Amino acid sequence: MTATAIAEQEFEMITLKVPDMTCGHCAGVVTKAVQSVDAEAHVDIDLKAQTVTIETKADGGAVSRALETAGYPAETYTTR
C-alpha cells in the first residue's frame, strides 16, 4: 500500500495478542515494526497482557505481517 493510499484511509483500532513480547526491548521492536507499516500509528503496549493496541490507517493484515517479519507473530487480532 502506498503512503498516499494510507493517508486517505480512516484510522482503525487494532488489538493484537503477541505472546513472545515479554520485555521493554520486545516492545520497542514491536513498535518499530508497526510504525514501519504506518509511521503515524499510535502504539500502546501492555507487556503484562502481552497485547498491543494500535490506532492506524494500515490494514490489520499488513501490521500482523510486519510483526511476524520482526520475529513477533500475533496470535489473534480484533479491529474496531
Side-chain angles (χ1 to χ4, degrees), residues 1 5 7-8 11 13 25-27 30 34 36-37 39 44 46 49 52 54-55 61 64 73:
M1 181 174 293
E8 294 173 358
F11 280 101
M13 194 71 75
H25 171 76
C26 300
V30 166
V34 171
S36 74
V37 176
D44 184 34
D46 183 338
V52 56
I54 308 152
E55 185 177 0
S64 291

Side-chain angles (χ1 to χ4, degrees), residues 15 17-18 20-21 24 27 29 40-41 45-46 54 65 72 76:
T15 301
K17 176 76 171 171
V18 187
D20 294 336
M21 184 177 62
V29 172
E40 296 179 18
I45 303 284
D46 183 338
I54 308 152
R65 286 188 297 277
Y72 294 91
T76 60

